[in-house]
Amino acid sequence: MEHLSYQDVNREILRTLSRPRRSYYLMVGALFLGILWAAIVWYYQIVTGLGVTGLLHPAMWAPYLVQFVFWVGIAHSGTLISAILYLFRARWRTAIARSSEAMTVFAVMIAGLMVFVHLGRVWILYWIIPYPNQRTLWPNFQSPLIFDFLAVSTYLTVSVLFWYTGLVPDLAAVRDRAQGVRRKIYGFFSLGWAGTDRQWHHYGTAYLLLAGLATPLVVSVHSVVSWDFALAIIPGYHSTIFAPYFVAGAIHSGLAMVLTLLIPLRHFFRFEKIITLRDLEAVAKTTILTGLIIGYSYIIEYFMAWYSGNVFEKQTFIFRAIGHHAFMFWLMVFCNAVAPLLFFFKKIRTSLGSVFTIAILINIGMWTERFVIIIGSMAQDFLPYNWGFYTPRWVELSIIVGSFCLFLFLFLLFAKFLPSVSIAEVKEDLTPLLRGKGKRDHHGA
Amino acid sequence: MVPDAALLGIFSHLDDVLDALRGMKKEGFKVLTVFSPFHFSEIQEILGHKPSIVRYSTLAGGILGGTGLVGLAVYAHLSFKLITSGKPILAWIPFAVPFFEGMVLLAVIFTVVAWVLKGRLPRVRLPSAYDHRFSEDRFGILVSCSDGQRGIISKLLQDEGAEEVRDVSG
């Protein structure tokens, strides 16, 4: 990136906003059809009832909540990269922070949507919102479900504001190059930014404060999500390590999703000069750390089940490894804890093909992990009489596929209409253009 | 924002900008605005900006958000006294979560509102001295000047490396 000039940075990044190729429209169209299908299926589920899904006793918390936890998790590394690494002054974050933040915003939106889908009677969603009503009924502020509502809505608001704050100077850069209606639209959203010393001064302080506030938030949100389970007494849920375990898992899945999105983005938009191999390698190296934490958590869960002497806990974990969902369990272990270890080899973590493949494996593994925890534990709780198995039906499978389509659809729109790399931050990281000593001799040169 | 008489110097080199700013300060000329394509803290240091008051706004938002949401939780639990899980009506430990979320939410909203307003945004029209190159690769120094100072300031800006000196008198 060092050899780029400020002009090059604008040109390289804003090039992606030019008229796209036909393949882009085809891809957006195909994804839109996927979303449309999922919307129709959701409507069918609303009018017919949740009975059309495989959600049956005892596995009443099935794929929609798996999806919810998965998407909240995906969101986390966006904040890790944009906020936590900003505080640590990790320069490699610059090229990938904007896309990661976009990923966070879209993932949290979809996570929220999955709760709506899970509710069944979505039109009474407002019951969870604390508001004065004639029956003087109030939600229980001690309940993890209210914690969840507060945490996810706060996280969405904070992510959007943090993302938008970072975008303002770049929207001004787009405005200055645009013509006609585009200029007016970008001008409106750039708020009339002019890059004055006064604006940068307050902006810089605000950005630092936002990063500082987003950092504990990212830890709190997935901790709160984990308490949805940990505060229940179901074996396999009721665990004290859930909060750190979920946070590490969230960051693990999010980093993998960053790689999954950025490698094609870099290729199709020819961002090789901006998103360097070193940046991707740094993400891959971080994945080794999160993978090791995840692996440790898997082992310690078994240890705790054995050491507790609790027969139900032991039985749950034995079933995980050899029971009905054993394939999912071993897939989870391989994808999340074993595959990332391949990044220890430099040859593997510097090969885009292998990095992309391992990132996809981690995505699969993290989805599977939520399946194993949420569905596996609920399907076999205390009494064998109460046991049951979950089998997905076409309704929830359609909605799951639709959620991935929606995520990619939003990301493609983002990449085409907004600067997918932070122009101002990339410039900050470049060596400034200096005339140097003896400059008087060169004036006018 | 632009006074009756002002000169804008446009620079391409960052060290020229910093030298010009130091020169202006030394000679006692009033620098109205510095335009730059990215955040560079040394510019603010030379101009003598005090720490941004955005942080007080963040603090106020945090206190208001945290106490506000816990206040709502207390009101809700006193209005609808239902004992759950054997916990007291006002169980303070679980209220830590609403407190934290409320604190972060309002602190962030207040921060964003504060930086926007303190940056004198939103504005419909760009400053008359603004040049679209300031969002790309050029820096600008806008200096207030009287008729008698015009020549001196212009020369100082050019001596420090300004590519262009423009009169932006409003």
PDB file of all heavy atoms in Angstrom, chain A residues 400-412:
ATOM      1  N   ILE A 400     -33.545 -20.437   5.790  1.00  0.00           N
ATOM      2  CA  ILE A 400     -32.097 -20.394   6.062  1.00  0.00           C
ATOM      3  C   ILE A 400     -31.349 -19.957   4.796  1.00  0.00           C
ATOM      4  O   ILE A 400     -30.513 -19.040   4.836  1.00  0.00           O
ATOM      5  CB  ILE A 400     -31.589 -21.770   6.541  1.00  0.00           C
ATOM      6  CG1 ILE A 400     -32.097 -22.050   7.954  1.00  0.00           C
ATOM      7  CG2 ILE A 400     -30.058 -21.829   6.521  1.00  0.00           C
ATOM      8  CD1 ILE A 400     -31.874 -23.475   8.427  1.00  0.00           C
ATOM      9  N   VAL A 401     -31.670 -20.582   3.679  1.00  0.00           N
ATOM     10  CA  VAL A 401     -31.006 -20.213   2.422  1.00  0.00           C
ATOM     11  C   VAL A 401     -31.308 -18.751   2.095  1.00  0.00           C
ATOM     12  O   VAL A 401     -30.417 -17.980   1.696  1.00  0.00           O
ATOM     13  CB  VAL A 401     -31.457 -21.147   1.267  1.00  0.00           C
ATOM     14  CG1 VAL A 401     -30.939 -20.672  -0.070  1.00  0.00           C
ATOM     15  CG2 VAL A 401     -30.985 -22.576   1.534  1.00  0.00           C
ATOM     16  N   GLY A 402     -32.554 -18.346   2.327  1.00  0.00           N
ATOM     17  CA  GLY A 402     -32.947 -16.956   2.070  1.00  0.00           C
ATOM     18  C   GLY A 402     -32.147 -15.971   2.904  1.00  0.00           C
ATOM     19  O   GLY A 402     -31.793 -14.896   2.427  1.00  0.00           O
ATOM     20  N   SER A 403     -31.830 -16.346   4.145  1.00  0.00           N
ATOM     21  CA  SER A 403     -31.071 -15.427   4.999  1.00  0.00           C
ATOM     22  C   SER A 403     -29.656 -15.231   4.460  1.00  0.00           C
ATOM     23  O   SER A 403     -29.115 -14.125   4.488  1.00  0.00           O
ATOM     24  CB  SER A 403     -31.037 -15.935   6.447  1.00  0.00           C
ATOM     25  OG  SER A 403     -30.131 -17.003   6.587  1.00  0.00           O
ATOM     26  N   PHE A 404     -29.065 -16.304   3.925  1.00  0.00           N
ATOM     27  CA  PHE A 404     -27.725 -16.171   3.331  1.00  0.00           C
ATOM     28  C   PHE A 404     -27.803 -15.320   2.058  1.00  0.00           C
ATOM     29  O   PHE A 404     -26.915 -14.515   1.780  1.00  0.00           O
ATOM     30  CB  PHE A 404     -27.118 -17.550   3.039  1.00  0.00           C
ATOM     31  CG  PHE A 404     -26.544 -18.197   4.268  1.00  0.00           C
ATOM     32  CD1 PHE A 404     -27.312 -19.020   5.066  1.00  0.00           C
ATOM     33  CD2 PHE A 404     -25.238 -17.953   4.655  1.00  0.00           C
ATOM     34  CE1 PHE A 404     -26.803 -19.598   6.221  1.00  0.00           C
ATOM     35  CE2 PHE A 404     -24.715 -18.525   5.806  1.00  0.00           C
ATOM     36  CZ  PHE A 404     -25.500 -19.352   6.596  1.00  0.00           C
ATOM     37  N   CYS A 405     -28.892 -15.522   1.287  1.00  0.00           N
ATOM     38  CA  CYS A 405     -29.082 -14.705   0.079  1.00  0.00           C
ATOM     39  C   CYS A 405     -29.196 -13.235   0.461  1.00  0.00           C
ATOM     40  O   CYS A 405     -28.601 -12.367  -0.178  1.00  0.00           O
ATOM     41  CB  CYS A 405     -30.351 -15.121  -0.661  1.00  0.00           C
ATOM     42  SG  CYS A 405     -30.220 -16.705  -1.471  1.00  0.00           S
ATOM     43  N   LEU A 406     -29.963 -12.954   1.521  1.00  0.00           N
ATOM     44  CA  LEU A 406     -30.152 -11.565   1.956  1.00  0.00           C
ATOM     45  C   LEU A 406     -28.821 -10.947   2.373  1.00  0.00           C
ATOM     46  O   LEU A 406     -28.514  -9.802   2.021  1.00  0.00           O
ATOM     47  CB  LEU A 406     -31.153 -11.528   3.120  1.00  0.00           C
ATOM     48  CG  LEU A 406     -31.455 -10.160   3.724  1.00  0.00           C
ATOM     49  CD1 LEU A 406     -32.019  -9.208   2.674  1.00  0.00           C
ATOM     50  CD2 LEU A 406     -32.442 -10.273   4.882  1.00  0.00           C
ATOM     51  N   PHE A 407     -28.029 -11.717   3.085  1.00  0.00           N
ATOM     52  CA  PHE A 407     -26.732 -11.220   3.546  1.00  0.00           C
ATOM     53  C   PHE A 407     -25.836 -10.868   2.355  1.00  0.00           C
ATOM     54  O   PHE A 407     -25.262  -9.772   2.288  1.00  0.00           O
ATOM     55  CB  PHE A 407     -26.078 -12.300   4.419  1.00  0.00           C
ATOM     56  CG  PHE A 407     -24.735 -11.911   4.969  1.00  0.00           C
ATOM     57  CD1 PHE A 407     -24.625 -10.966   5.969  1.00  0.00           C
ATOM     58  CD2 PHE A 407     -23.572 -12.503   4.495  1.00  0.00           C
ATOM     59  CE1 PHE A 407     -23.389 -10.607   6.481  1.00  0.00           C
ATOM     60  CE2 PHE A 407     -22.337 -12.157   5.001  1.00  0.00           C
ATOM     61  CZ  PHE A 407     -22.244 -11.208   6.000  1.00  0.00           C
ATOM     62  N   LEU A 408     -25.737 -11.788   1.406  1.00  0.00           N
ATOM     63  CA  LEU A 408     -24.874 -11.539   0.246  1.00  0.00           C
ATOM     64  C   LEU A 408     -25.444 -10.424  -0.633  1.00  0.00           C
ATOM     65  O   LEU A 408     -24.685  -9.615  -1.179  1.00  0.00           O
ATOM     66  CB  LEU A 408     -24.705 -12.835  -0.567  1.00  0.00           C
ATOM     67  CG  LEU A 408     -23.948 -13.945   0.162  1.00  0.00           C
ATOM     68  CD1 LEU A 408     -23.966 -15.224  -0.655  1.00  0.00           C
ATOM     69  CD2 LEU A 408     -22.505 -13.532   0.435  1.00  0.00           C
ATOM     70  N   PHE A 409     -26.758 -10.372  -0.734  1.00  0.00           N
ATOM     71  CA  PHE A 409     -27.424  -9.329  -1.517  1.00  0.00           C
ATOM     72  C   PHE A 409     -27.071  -7.938  -0.951  1.00  0.00           C
ATOM     73  O   PHE A 409     -26.646  -7.041  -1.685  1.00  0.00           O
ATOM     74  CB  PHE A 409     -28.936  -9.580  -1.447  1.00  0.00           C
ATOM     75  CG  PHE A 409     -29.783  -8.546  -2.126  1.00  0.00           C
ATOM     76  CD1 PHE A 409     -29.946  -8.552  -3.508  1.00  0.00           C
ATOM     77  CD2 PHE A 409     -30.453  -7.572  -1.383  1.00  0.00           C
ATOM     78  CE1 PHE A 409     -30.752  -7.602  -4.133  1.00  0.00           C
ATOM     79  CE2 PHE A 409     -31.252  -6.629  -2.007  1.00  0.00           C
ATOM     80  CZ  PHE A 409     -31.407  -6.648  -3.376  1.00  0.00           C
ATOM     81  N   LEU A 410     -27.208  -7.799   0.358  1.00  0.00           N
ATOM     82  CA  LEU A 410     -26.897  -6.514   0.995  1.00  0.00           C
ATOM     83  C   LEU A 410     -25.419  -6.180   0.838  1.00  0.00           C
ATOM     84  O   LEU A 410     -25.049  -5.028   0.597  1.00  0.00           O
ATOM     85  CB  LEU A 410     -27.276  -6.543   2.484  1.00  0.00           C
ATOM     86  CG  LEU A 410     -28.775  -6.624   2.790  1.00  0.00           C
ATOM     87  CD1 LEU A 410     -29.011  -6.860   4.275  1.00  0.00           C
ATOM     88  CD2 LEU A 410     -29.485  -5.361   2.342  1.00  0.00           C
ATOM     89  N   PHE A 411     -24.577  -7.200   0.949  1.00  0.00           N
ATOM     90  CA  PHE A 411     -23.135  -6.949   0.828  1.00  0.00           C
ATOM     91  C   PHE A 411     -22.777  -6.511  -0.597  1.00  0.00           C
ATOM     92  O   PHE A 411     -21.943  -5.618  -0.787  1.00  0.00           O
ATOM     93  CB  PHE A 411     -22.335  -8.194   1.234  1.00  0.00           C
ATOM     94  CG  PHE A 411     -20.881  -7.877   1.473  1.00  0.00           C
ATOM     95  CD1 PHE A 411     -20.464  -7.331   2.679  1.00  0.00           C
ATOM     96  CD2 PHE A 411     -19.939  -8.100   0.481  1.00  0.00           C
ATOM     97  CE1 PHE A 411     -19.133  -7.018   2.892  1.00  0.00           C
ATOM     98  CE2 PHE A 411     -18.606  -7.788   0.697  1.00  0.00           C
ATOM     99  CZ  PHE A 411     -18.199  -7.253   1.904  1.00  0.00           C
ATOM    100  N   LEU A 412     -23.418  -7.126  -1.578  1.00  0.00           N
ATOM    101  CA  LEU A 412     -23.142  -6.735  -2.968  1.00  0.00           C
ATOM    102  C   LEU A 412     -23.598  -5.301  -3.231  1.00  0.00           C
ATOM    103  O   LEU A 412     -22.917  -4.540  -3.921  1.00  0.00           O
ATOM    104  CB  LEU A 412     -23.852  -7.685  -3.937  1.00  0.00           C
ATOM    105  CG  LEU A 412     -23.174  -9.037  -4.201  1.00  0.00           C
ATOM    106  CD1 LEU A 412     -23.988  -9.842  -5.203  1.00  0.00           C
ATOM    107  CD2 LEU A 412     -21.764  -8.857  -4.731  1.00  0.00           C
TER     108      LEU A 412
END
